[in-house]
Amino acid sequence: MTNQAANQGIGQAVRRKEDFRFLTGQGHYTDDINRPGQLYAAFLRSPHAFAKIKSIDTTAASKKPGVVAIYTGKDVAADKVGGLICGWTVKDKKGEPHKAPRHDIIAVEYVRHVGDQVAVVIADTVAHAKDAVEAIQVDYEVLKPVVDVREAVKPGAPQVHPDVPGNLCYDWEFGDKAATEKAFASAAHITKLELVNNRLSPNPMEPRSAIGEYDPGTDTTTVYTTSQNPHVLRLILCAFVFGLPEHKVRVIAPDVGGGFGSKIFNYPEETVCVWAARKLKKPIKWTSDRTEAFLTDAHGRDHVTHAELALDKDGKFLGLRVDTMANMGAYLSTFASAVPTYLYALLLAGQYTTPAIYAEVKAIFTNTTPVDAYRGAGRPEATYVVERLVEAAAREMNIDPAEIRRRNFIPPTAFPYQTPVACVYDSGNYAKALDEACRLADYANFPKRKAEAARKGKLRGIGLCAYIEACGLAPSSVVGSLGAGVGLWESAQIRFNATGTVFVYTGAHSHGQGHETTFAQIVSDKLGVPLENIEVVHGDTAQVPMGMGTYGSRSLAVGGSAIVRAADKIIEKGKKIAAHLMEASVDDVTYDKGVFSIKGTDKQVPMAQVAFTAYVPHNYPPDLEPGLEASAFYDPSNFTFPAGVHIAEVEIDSDTGVTTIVNWVAVDDFGKVINPMIVEGQVHGGIAQGIGQALLEGVVYDQESGQLLTASFLDYCMPRADNLPSYKIGMIETPCPHNPLGVKGCGEAGAIAAPAALMNAITDALGTEKIDMPATPLKVWQVIQSHNFAAAAE
Amino acid sequence: MTISVTMTVNGQSVTREVEPRTLLVQFLREHLGLTGTHIGCDTSQCGACVVHVDGRSVKSCTILAAQAQGANVTTIEGLAANGQLHPMQEAFREHHALQCGFCTPGMIMSAIDLVQRNPNPSEETVRHELEGNLCRCTGYHNIVKAVMAGAQAMRG
């Protein structure tokens, strides 16, 4: 290995390979792409939350300048286009499959949320398309909508779909009900909380965009789109929506400007672009504006939960029960059904030995934007329930919140650990992370700081969160048995060029995670190739083997493992070539860091020479194929379970209700770390989204009209630089025992841990549990007024 | 109806016939093909479209192309000279101040303007000044570090 390659391998904070193009404005995002002769789509969207479409008049609109075509739901229906599907079937308490009502790509008879597609205009420019949209006349019969799950389940509530009685998508349960009831019956103390997990808008900075293109000569359809999983999108479009052969459809997800889950799903707009492109035989481009993004990008969270924790007299957890209503929105999005079930209830053990757990989840349709996975997807909701309960129980029982956690942690000797909710945790050392977090946060001296703040008239609080995450959902046989319509393996291909440079093809997709660097580091480490000689290729179904994409913090644990397996195959073949070159037996060849050698001799052949020989096989083993490339598919044997402890410390101004975060500590265990710089960046971003949820963000619908009141960055409070602190980051490392890299995944941890840590700090400062996210200054001030805390702080 | 708009962009004089309602950001992206300047919202909140107009940072979605008639415009594509990154670009790379890269051009253009006005900003000043540039990936932690480091490098 060259010295250069030695400093670029696993564990090094290598600067990112992808940065140059982004820093110089040379990224290629979907909206940056223009195809010859392309036309533009603009959508007419429903101004009503719930209405019957009585008639649509496009006469005036069709005469506007530049208009090529106007289509309504009836035009789509006439072409027998399939509806959008949900790819994960959850079975309810009775074993019946969830209700997945038809989701047309343009509404046919009813509109079911503000922003639902009513018609699409295709025109020569975006401006002309939008002008014509304004001229379409629609006669609606406006119906009374329902937006809140608590209202939607009441008798007499508006029915969002005629074939879904009571708006109930499913009524699901998990865990041992009898054992849990027994645990509660024997409890010395029961802590109860009513919790709302607020609805969020993912808001990646790049709005969604798509270009559909059809080549009649080859009968090939190409889709450029902002996707986290281009192969999955191709599969859905081909097998379910259009009935097209997969080899005639190419999906390209070029540079994608953030996803956070919202770009996993198959959306109506990209589907319409494909349909219209095939119909008009012209490239059709659509780019969302931000208001459309608020109206139509799948939202996240939106749970209403009643939760109870049973404890013995020493604060040992005996049982946990949870009753949750989850808002699905107006339609069942691509993976929506799995989020409040398998990604939620299976994580309710947290980091603890709680022996009995039971969860009931009702998924409810409402006249709102569909809800699906958003950074963390179910796991933040689970952690929020568990960690708010634990902190509240500690306060009620006068046990230090850190101490109550220590008493209940799964000990490091207990791994692999079978929880009562199906998961087998791989590895961990929870007390070590807590100790380190307490050290970094100077937890012991918090009472002094609280007293000092009180002297200044400030309310100071500290909050802990010990979170667990499940990443890299697998193996495929297990997720299949739980209702997933896909496998959750990943693919990789390593292809040497004759001159020793390397292409790495991955089925994962990078939209900010830095795969082009991290995956190259793995290959550099395994094969001794300098980073600049490695090109990581992703996001194009015509180049990359079938892959499952990036979500759920799976890319390194699953996709990285596939790369290791492919590298192993390269080394195996390389040994045969090297043995031939060194006139030795294959059994005598050893390999280390890019060099093949013969045991007990000074004979050596570097990888580059092996690669050249493979492609110029003049002196070559007679029975061996030329070429040096290898593919691998990796299906993990289990999830990975990253864990850690975050500690938030806040100071609240009781006059204004403004919460200031004065300290933030995160100590995480992601197993082995390939690039600590990138991992810390992922933690920072996750924390920011978690703080956003707890302090600033919240999707608000008008209860009467169903109008989205937070449809712009003026109304929806995104975290800005001056809202957030800098973070203290610590790491501990318990390698994952079941994948070849020992890695666990880091993408969602911050978003999972932060809301509970911050709300525990705020409730500590306020002295009451009764405040919901986002804890805006108004809400905090109202709590202070109602409890007259200002006086108490004197 | 179209109007003729002439301006200097990244040192080159350009003239295009455009609809009067064309925004500067549309002029740059659609008429000049300078797609490094991004559009992330429709309310002039996100800052992904920040460019320099006559040396000052401007959200290019807030002005018409016609308003930049005769102006000297610098976009992210005009910063690096001869393949050499501007010190602020280099600081963003060194401190991992970008992930998906979408907010990055606007963030860098704002950061340079801020340092030109305030060569030695405090962390608090940097956070306050970047309030008009949204980033969803980084949590701003590394952006703030990079801007401080970039400011130091620009001071020389």
Side-chain angles (χ1 to χ4, degrees):
Chain A
M1 180 184 278
T2 63
N3 285 337
Q4 213 169 5
N7 293 327
Q8 297 172 332
I10 291 171
Q12 303 295 320
V14 174
R15 300 305 184 264
R16 299 200 319 171
K17 287 167 67 71
E18 45 271 83
D19 282 355
F20 184 79
R21 68 176 186 271
F22 296 133
L23 288 167
T24 52
Q26 297 176 98
H28 287 286
Y29 301 89
T30 302
D31 190 52
D32 301 338
I33 296 167
N34 294 298
R35 302 297 300 158
Q38 86 189 1
L39 302 173
Y40 298 84
F43 288 87
L44 174 66
R45 299 185 177 282
S46 171
H48 305 294
F50 198 15
K52 184 171 186 180
I53 301 169
K54 290 166 74 178
S55 66
I56 302 174
D57 184 354
T58 59
T59 318
S62 60
K63 291 177 187 150
K64 298 290 267 184
V67 172
V68 174
I70 301 177
Y71 299 117
T72 67
K74 284 181 181 163
D75 299 308
V76 177
D79 274 7
K80 301 198 169 24
V81 175
L84 302 186
I85 60 148
C86 178
W88 192 308
T89 303
V90 167
K91 290 187 175 166
D92 70 9
K93 285 176 178 170
K94 296 174 192 156
E96 299 291 323
H98 65 215
K99 305 258 188 339
R102 185 168 170 97
H103 185 187
D104 288 302
I105 60 174
I106 300 179
V108 178
E109 196 179 358
Y110 288 91
V111 286
R112 293 188 168 86
H113 67 92
V114 174
D116 218 347
Q117 300 75 226
V118 177
V120 63
V121 174
I122 311 292
D124 60 344
T125 68
V126 177
H128 282 153
K130 289 187 174 181
D131 288 345
V133 162
E134 299 276 318
I136 300 174
Q137 301 287 326
V138 184
D139 188 10
Y140 293 102
E141 179 188 338
V142 179
L143 304 170
K144 182 176 165 51
V146 63
V147 300
D148 188 302
V149 289
R150 288 163 288 199
E151 297 300 319
V153 294
K154 286 180 181 168
Q159 299 292 288
V160 180
H161 295 276
D163 49 348
V164 185
N167 297 316
L168 187 64
C169 177
Y170 53 76
D171 181 4
W172 179 86
E173 65 181 344
F174 202 75
D176 190 332
K177 187 177 187 179
T180 306
E181 281 176 2
K182 207 171 146 192
F184 274 82
S186 67
H189 182 86
I190 296 174
T191 292
K192 301 178 181 180
L193 286 178
E194 306 293 333
L195 298 169
V196 173
N197 206 291
N198 45 329
R199 178 186 278 241
L200 303 175
S201 179
N203 280 322
M205 292 317 301
E206 179 206 25
R208 286 189 294 120
S209 179
I211 304 170
E213 184 169 6
Y214 179 62
D215 178 355
T218 57
D219 188 31
T220 301
T221 304
T222 302
V223 194
Y224 302 83
T225 188
T226 47
S227 175
Q228 299 177 214
N229 37 216
H231 281 98
V232 175
L233 180 63
R234 187 184 66 171
L235 178 64
I236 294 172
L237 289 177
C238 289
F240 297 96
V241 181
F242 292 117
L244 291 170
E246 271 183 287
H247 69 296
K248 291 293 187 186
V249 176
R250 176 183 184 185
V251 177
I252 300 171
D255 287 328
V256 173
F260 315 112
S262 69
K263 291 172 182 170
I264 298 171
F265 321 120
N266 175 206
Y267 283 96
E269 295 86 356
E270 63 199 357
T271 313
V272 167
C273 285
V274 171
W275 173 74
R278 289 175 59 82
K279 210 169 174 66
L280 295 169
K281 302 191 172 40
K282 291 274 192 182
I284 307 292
K285 181 175 185 175
W286 169 79
T287 298
S288 174
D289 61 33
R290 184 56 61 181
T291 302
E292 285 184 293
F294 275 105
L295 290 170
T296 62
D297 288 7
H299 292 167
R301 321 284 191 252
D302 204 345
H303 285 196
V304 177
T305 295
H306 174 79
E308 301 184 359
L309 179 66
L311 305 95
D312 74 8
K313 62 178 173 39
D314 300 319
K316 191 94 175 142
F317 307 156
L318 303 175
L320 175 73
R321 61 187 174 205
V322 171
D323 188 352
T324 292
M325 285 194 284
N327 197 335
M328 295 287 99
Y331 305 101
L332 203 54
S333 178
T334 314
F335 290 106
S337 55
V339 175
T341 50
Y342 295 108
L343 297 178
Y344 171 65
L346 272 65
L347 279 302
L348 287 171
Q351 299 187 358
Y352 311 111
T353 56
T354 317
I357 297 171
Y358 177 68
E360 286 181 289
V361 179
K362 290 182 185 66
I364 314 290
F365 288 110
T366 60
N367 295 109
T368 61
T369 299
V371 178
D372 206 326
Y374 166 62
R375 201 170 193 167
R379 292 151 289 178
E381 295 92 314
T383 292
Y384 190 65
V385 167
V386 173
E387 290 301 295
R388 285 289 308 272
L389 275 174
V390 167
E391 199 97 352
R395 289 170 190 163
E396 288 170 2
M397 297 180 76
N398 285 318
I399 303 171
D400 179 87
E403 172 57 23
I404 202 170
R405 289 178 169 87
R406 278 193 196 94
R407 287 182 198 175
N408 288 283
F409 277 152
I410 297 161
T413 50
F415 295 95
Y417 182 82
Q418 173 71 60
T419 75
V421 275
C423 290
V424 180
Y425 291 174
D426 52 357
S427 64
N429 190 336
Y430 304 146
K432 189 177 174 186
L434 177 63
D435 291 346
E436 176 64 1
C438 286
R439 187 185 69 78
L440 287 172
D442 190 21
Y443 184 75
N445 286 313
F446 173 73
K448 282 186 204 161
R449 298 195 292 276
K450 190 177 177 83
E452 177 60 29
R455 275 194 288 279
K456 293 184 291 181
K458 297 281 176 69
L459 303 169
R460 197 159 176 126
I462 197 162
L464 283 73
C465 174
Y467 74 93
I468 190 88
E469 179 177 9
C471 300
L473 303 187
S476 296
S477 58
V478 169
V479 294
S481 72
L482 300 179
V486 291
L488 286 171
W489 44 266
E490 197 46 83
S491 68
Q493 188 176 38
I494 297 175
R495 188 185 298 170
F496 268 87
N497 297 306
T499 53
T501 61
V502 177
F503 283 114
V504 180
Y505 300 88
T506 172
H509 185 275
S510 188
H511 29 280
Q513 296 89 342
H515 295 167
E516 290 170 41
T517 304
T518 302
F519 289 178
Q521 285 179 257
I522 296 170
V523 172
S524 177
D525 198 277
K526 296 290 173 193
L527 300 179
V529 180
L531 273 196
E532 64 270 24
N533 289 347
I534 302 168
E535 190 74 14
V536 175
V537 180
H538 61 93
D540 181 353
T541 61
Q543 293 193 69
V544 175
M546 174 81 183
M548 299 312 296
T550 288
Y551 39 81
S553 306
R554 69 190 300 274
S555 297
L556 187 57
V558 190
S561 296
I563 290 171
V564 172
R565 289 285 166 82
D568 289 343
K569 292 181 185 178
I570 294 279
I571 292 165
E572 283 314 299
K573 183 165 183 179
K575 279 182 178 175
K576 292 176 187 165
I577 299 168
H580 183 85
L581 290 174
M582 294 187 284
E583 297 174 337
S585 160
V586 173
D587 299 335
D588 293 332
V589 177
T590 59
Y591 170 81
D592 186 42
K593 295 182 168 57
V595 178
F596 297 91
S597 4
I598 306 293
K599 291 172 203 161
T601 75
D602 58 358
K603 285 188 176 175
Q604 286 190 340
V605 172
M607 182 63 86
Q609 190 182 344
V610 165
F612 184 79
T613 306
Y615 289 102
V616 189
H618 298 165
N619 175 21
Y620 201 70
D623 302 330
L624 197 63
E625 287 178 14
L628 191 60
E629 65 174 58
S631 291
F633 289 75
Y634 183 79
D635 198 348
S637 59
N638 190 5
F639 304 173
T640 64
F641 293 92
V645 173
H646 287 219
I647 300 179
E649 193 165 328
V650 301
E651 218 167 68
I652 294 173
D653 183 327
S654 47
D655 293 331
T656 62
V658 170
T659 299
T660 304
I661 299 168
V662 291
N663 198 19
W664 196 285
V665 168
V667 177
D668 298 290
D669 176 6
F670 300 130
K672 288 275 185 192
V673 168
I674 309 295
N675 186 322
M677 177 192 80
I678 288 176
V679 167
E680 286 190 15
Q682 290 290 308
V683 174
H684 297 157
I687 295 171
Q689 286 178 340
I691 291 174
Q693 169 163 29
L695 220 49
L696 308 165
E697 297 178 44
V699 169
V700 180
Y701 283 95
D702 181 76
Q703 296 289 320
E704 290 301 313
S705 67
Q707 291 296 323
L708 178 60
L709 303 179
T710 50
S712 80
F713 286 147
L714 290 162
D715 307 295
Y716 183 91
C717 189
M718 289 276 282
R720 294 165 191 257
D722 58 355
N723 297 128
L724 298 174
S726 289
Y727 317 106
K728 288 181 195 160
I729 306 290
M731 299 267 175
I732 68 161
E733 181 181 303
T734 64
C736 172
H738 63 73
N739 66 48
L741 289 165
V743 298
K744 292 182 174 175
C746 66
E748 296 159 295
I752 293 171
L758 186 47
M759 291 307 288
N760 283 339
I762 290 170
T763 52
D764 180 47
L766 295 176
T768 174
E769 302 292 336
K770 290 196 174 67
I771 182 166
D772 282 321
M773 301 186 287
T776 58
L778 175 63
K779 276 193 211 166
V780 170
W781 186 83
Q782 284 170 333
V783 168
I784 291 168
Q785 294 307 304
S786 65
H787 287 72
N788 204 11
F789 279 104
E794 296 284 320
Chain B
M1 187 192 89
T2 59
I3 56 169
S4 179
V5 175
T6 298
M7 65 185 85
T8 302
V9 178
N10 298 331
Q12 293 206 319
S13 178
V14 294
T15 301
R16 293 290 186 277
E17 301 294 319
V18 300
E19 277 197 84
R21 61 179 164 179
T22 304
L23 298 169
L24 178 59
V25 68
Q26 292 168 328
F27 185 82
L28 295 170
R29 287 181 57 82
E30 294 164 20
H31 295 272
L32 303 184
L34 293 171
T35 54
T37 301
H38 296 150
I39 302 171
C41 75
D42 40 23
T43 51
S44 296
Q45 289 289 303
C46 80
C49 66
V50 170
V51 299
H52 292 176
V53 177
D54 293 331
R56 291 168 55 221
S57 71
V58 166
K59 288 181 174 174
S60 61
C61 72
T62 61
I63 67 168
L64 297 166
Q67 290 173 281
Q69 171 73 29
N72 197 344
V73 176
T74 305
T75 71
I76 189 73
E77 290 94 340
L79 275 189
N82 306 320
Q84 190 76 33
L85 294 178
H86 183 282
M88 190 60 77
Q89 290 172 309
E90 183 57 38
F92 268 61
R93 193 190 71 83
E94 177 62 23
H95 293 277
H96 186 35
L98 64 153
Q99 291 183 24
C100 81
F102 195 80
C103 76
T104 308
M107 198 67 83
I108 288 174
M109 299 310 283
S110 288
I112 290 170
D113 179 66
L114 131 69
V115 173
Q116 282 170 350
R117 286 181 287 110
N118 188 343
N120 194 5
S122 66
E123 179 181 332
E124 194 186 351
T125 302
V126 171
R127 285 187 179 276
H128 179 68
E129 288 269 350
L130 292 183
E131 182 262 353
N133 290 77
L134 292 174
C135 169
R136 194 57 152 167
C137 293
T138 65
Y140 303 102
H141 181 109
N142 285 344
I143 290 177
V144 173
K145 263 167 65 180
V147 175
M148 305 284 284
Q152 192 175 16
M154 283 171 68
R155 291 197 299 272

